[in-house]
Amino acid sequence: MTRAMRRSKQGLSEEACLKILEAGTSGVLALLGDEGYPYALPLSYAYADGKIYFHGASTGHKIDAMAQEPRASFCVVSQDQVVPLEYTTRYASVIAFGRAAVVKDPEELQKGLEALAFKYAPQDTEAHRTETLTKPWPSLCIFALTVERMTGKASMQLIEKGL
């Protein structure tokens, strides 16, 4: 079941949502945590081919929560300009919904690592990147949220400007 957006005129196209996901540098992953409490954590990430890749330790709350319930959401805010005298904000954001899991396939693991490396260290040399990404990282895990659907929304002022 997908809930309809209440203010559908403020909805963003899939293309606009993808631009926000590709350009963002951090987002908030929301999982079902211990004892049924929501567990939301800020993360660096990279988006590639319908998946949101992020990394973390091979043990802890995040990995336990994903194993218990893989359904998750990931929110990225690209703009958040407070306009005090209008009591509003100029904002744009995307929420992706899907299933999160540890990446186990070696090819996909490499793809996730490279997506993160290219995003956060684009000026790195190929030699250094290769050396760094092929050395063992015993406690490092790469996770992927496979996007099943996403929704984006922006303030009317940004929509009218063509976001």
Side-chain angles (χ1 to χ4, degrees), residues 95-112:
I95 303 175
F97 300 88
R99 297 179 190 273
V102 174
V103 174
K104 294 183 180 180
D105 175 68
E107 286 181 26
E108 186 178 3
L109 185 93
Q110 188 65 28
K111 181 179 183 176

Side-chain angles (χ1 to χ4, degrees), residues 10-77:
Q10 292 177 251
L12 299 177
S13 68
E14 183 175 346
E15 181 182 344
C17 289
L18 289 174
K19 282 182 183 179
I20 289 172
L21 277 180
E22 290 166 353
T25 58
S26 64
V28 177
L29 177 68
L31 302 164
L32 183 61
D34 292 346
E35 299 178 26
Y37 283 96
Y39 179 56
L41 59 154
L43 298 168
S44 299
Y45 73 96
Y47 176 81
D49 300 325
K51 294 188 178 186
I52 297 169
Y53 292 98
F54 47 99
H55 67 86
S58 58
T59 62
H61 194 172
K62 177 174 49 197
I63 198 167
D64 292 347
M66 281 187 279
Q68 189 84 358
E69 174 53 72
R71 290 177 295 180
S73 65
F74 190 77
C75 177
V76 176
V77 177

Side-chain angles (χ1 to χ4, degrees), residues 91-145:
Y91 66 90
S93 63
V94 169
I95 303 175
F97 300 88
R99 297 179 190 273
V102 174
V103 174
K104 294 183 180 180
D105 175 68
E107 286 181 26
E108 186 178 3
L109 185 93
Q110 188 65 28
K111 181 179 183 176
L113 275 171
E114 288 175 0
L116 288 160
F118 280 107
K119 181 168 189 167
Y120 294 99
Q123 275 80 24
D124 196 5
T125 65
E126 186 174 338
H128 182 260
R129 183 180 296 113
T130 301
E131 176 188 337
T132 303
L133 298 183
T134 56
K135 72 179 183 180
W137 296 76
S139 64
L140 176 71
C141 253
I142 297 295
F143 306 93
L145 180 127

